[in-house]
Amino acid sequence: MDKSYDRKKVEEKWYSFWDEQGYFKADPNSDKPKYSLLIPPPNLTGELHLGHAMQHSILDALARYKRMSGHDVLLLPGVDHAGIQFEAAFEKKLSKEGLSKQKLGREEWLKKAWGFKEEVYTSVSKTWRFLGLSADWSREVFTLDEGPRKAVFEEFKTYFDKDLIYKGPYIVVWCPKDQTAIEDVEVEYEERAEKLYYLKYGPLTLATARPETKFGDTAVAVHPDDKRFQEYVGKEIEIETLSGKKKMQVIADTAVDPKFGTGVIKVTPGHDFTDYEIGQRHNLPIIQVIDKTGRLTEVAGKYAGMKVAEAREAMLPELREKGILVKEEDYTHNVAVCERCKSVVEPIISEEWFVKVREMAKEAVQLIKEDEITFLPKNYEKILVEWLENIHDWCISRSLWWGHRIPVWYKDKEMKVSQDSPGEGWVQDEQVLDTWFSSGLWPFSTLGWPEKSTELEKYFPWDFEISAPEIKYLWIARMVMLSKYFTDQVPFKTMFFHGMLRDLEGRKFSKSLGNGIDPNYLIENWGVDATRMALYSYSVPGRDGRVSKQILDERGKNFRNFETKLRNIAHYVIELKPEGSNEKLDFKNEDDAWIKKELETTINNVSANIDSLNLHLATEEIYNFVWHKLADVYLEKTKERRAEAQPILEYVLESSLKLLHPFMPFVTEELWQSLPNKKGESITISLWPKNP
RNA sequence: GGGCACUUAGCUCAGUUGGUUCAGAGCGUCUCGUUUACACCGAGAAGGUCGGGGGUUCGAGCCCCUCAGUGCCCACCA
């Protein structure tokens, strides 16, 4: 066979053929049973990675299989605006041009941002098509589109009217780099070797890792049962500070661990979560020491204006000199950093919007426990339930510009919830909503909700949803919660968590490590079909895989070879068809009966494995049949009775192509079209083989 | 600290209810073979006491207990 043909060209040709024929379009008016799959909207940040490629390969295999099995399939594509991540990527680009948010102003910035969005989108959507994704592009949705915008407003208004939304000062995780509050689920912890400082507070000594927050102390606390400090509880002690002597009360609170450090803590309600809670219990005042840019405020005296790390270094000599700092020891602990930009985050008091989600979460738990969602792997059900049971109020505001703006308007002392300006003189809230506020609605906002569309009626709840495990709380749990709340239904019937692909050391792929593998690289080397096949072997639910470029190349090569094998089988069957071949399909010969039986077994096993979402087994099954049964054994045997076996060869080849099509769409279409009786008719709409 | 996974051939991984077909695949290694579908191939071979130990059973990678190692998630101790 020709070994040097242009695979890419062929892929493009068939993809546009399918697209033009409209095979991927769902038809709400069809009377076929529906099967709906929701594509997790990738973030608008640029490149697609291996995880996306795997998700899309899995989704597409299922979509194609269901389509061939007589379903009206909706595979719905979309894109997420990804607030923080998008702004970070955009900011980088702007800074290269010497521009910034400050220089541009909100309006101009947004204009450019939309331009950047288009740019990024173009490259992303191209890659999608390369993977062969059989999505209904006519229904593609972007989270900032008008539809989702209406849905988001409906969501906000509903919460507001039901008194589930409130705004207030609260301790939040603040990212000084991104200049916004983030959620605790967006925080990562990094182990760092720092120091533990022992400070003298009057008659007491306490240990702290953060002496710079000293200016915000409003109490000293011990455990109520700790006998060592009983005499001080409820009293005031006089302590030495950097700005002279000061009185401070000693309180008792169970949050204090008597075994850690000296058993005494300083309470800084403005900059520590535990301390904040202690402060609430004891009515302590809050002093802000660190501002939103990560610098000390004027309460820090001469240290005001310094960044946290600088200030800490700078104040140590004075603390030593004044005899306040009495001991230092090495201390390794976890430091909270922003998941997106990796800078150290600060607990800070800020004015933010919150949603009370406890009741909603409770109902979601109920729903999950009724087993209406099949989780793969199963144990994720428990993981999600536990998170939902311990949920706390959701901080939904972000100090960003890219996103759905909070639909609240102010005029003098008045406030109104409205999607658009209520009129002259009204000013909209500056903040935007958390990205997940809109993503949580995705299963129904994409189908026209809050309108009652036929699409919503037909395709919701979704039959299948897939996700990386890392967004199980941020996204999956929220979708369940919001679907229950707004539609009283589950968002999807099957929830498939794929594993994470990691490098050989077991580390995540990340930009900062530079260990990523570009799916486009694999596609260029081995073709889409082979790349997809390689990925299916890692598609076992919940199981991580360790890969390297070399390992993926091996797999890619293997399946590229398989593709060649398939081409050669087709060549033998079709091109080398002898004159005067038998026309009648019967299986009287012993070999014919054998291959027929093997094929039937394969059909059963492949179908069953797709139905049970074991794509790695389904692909193995058909691979084994085609290579080691059909090619190695049967085909060899037909050489002695070529003309007689022709109808059986054609029949088995056709069935094999169909069985392979969900996984290797391109080569199967190409070979299908070369069958003498199939010119122009697509394998995409052929019927899945069934045994009598 | 709490929870959850994983540990099977040199490497990356399968192995769905315990039972001739479970001891496998791909790649790698070795031997042989250019027989017209295919060397991006074919025939064959080597290689694992399925992490250690204990238990249940007529019978266990597969169930239970325990130990060890690895990874992930959650919480967070100032």
Side-chain angles (χ1 to χ4, degrees), chain A residues 573-590:
Chain A
V573 174
I574 301 163
E575 317 286 327
L576 304 181
K577 175 178 177 177
E579 290 294 318
S581 284
N582 194 359
E583 299 285 333
K584 199 168 152 251
L585 184 66
D586 66 43
F587 301 91
K588 279 182 192 142
N589 181 282
E590 183 186 355

Side-chain angles (χ1 to χ4, degrees), chain A residues 570 574-575 657 669-679:
Chain A
I574 301 163
E575 317 286 327
L657 291 177
E669 177 72 278
E670 190 190 341
L671 297 178
W672 179 266
Q673 299 269 350
S674 73
L675 292 170
N677 54 338
K678 295 292 188 304
K679 290 256 184 278

Side-chain angles (χ1 to χ4, degrees), chain A residues 76-96:
Chain A
L76 190 89
V79 186
D80 197 289
H81 66 282
I84 293 180
Q85 283 164 293
F86 177 87
E87 285 208 8
F90 186 44
E91 206 57 32
K92 213 177 263 174
K93 180 188 151 83
L94 284 182
S95 73
K96 273 185 201 148

Side-chain angles (χ1 to χ4, degrees), chain A residues 529-530 533-534 536-537 554-566 569 602-603 605-606 609 615-632 655-657 659-661 663-664:
Chain A
D529 289 332
M533 287 294 273
Y536 292 127
S537 53
E554 280 169 8
R555 299 248 174 185
K557 187 170 91 178
N558 176 221
F559 289 112
R560 190 275 323 263
N561 291 353
F562 176 64
E563 183 186 321
T564 307
K565 180 57 101 174
L566 191 64
I569 295 168
T602 305
I603 291 171
N605 291 345
V606 171
N609 283 322
L615 302 190
H616 62 297
L617 297 181
T619 48
E620 192 181 300
E621 193 78 31
I622 179 64
Y623 172 97
N624 189 47
F625 172 79
V626 169
W627 200 322
H628 301 302
K629 303 260 167 73
L630 174 57
D632 289 347
S655 302
S656 301
L657 291 177
L659 291 175
L660 272 168
H661 184 252
F663 311 106
M664 306 182 81

Side-chain angles (χ1 to χ4, degrees), chain A residues 224-284:
Chain A
D225 300 338
D226 197 330
K227 298 212 170 70
R228 294 172 291 177
F229 311 112
Q230 286 295 323
E231 54 175 306
Y232 300 109
V233 173
K235 308 220 170 90
E236 286 202 327
I237 53 172
E238 192 176 62
I239 64 163
E240 185 82 24
T241 74
L242 294 181
S243 46
K245 292 201 189 301
K246 196 173 159 186
K247 297 241 182 207
M248 193 165 283
Q249 55 169 323
V250 180
I251 57 174
D253 196 289
T254 50
V256 182
D257 177 1
K259 292 189 207 77
F260 189 89
T262 60
V264 184
I265 64 164
K266 64 195 204 59
V267 184
T268 320
H271 299 286
D272 184 281
F273 286 95
T274 312
D275 291 8
Y276 179 82
E277 282 167 17
I278 295 174
Q280 295 289 297
R281 286 195 283 268
H282 299 268
N283 278 319
L284 299 177

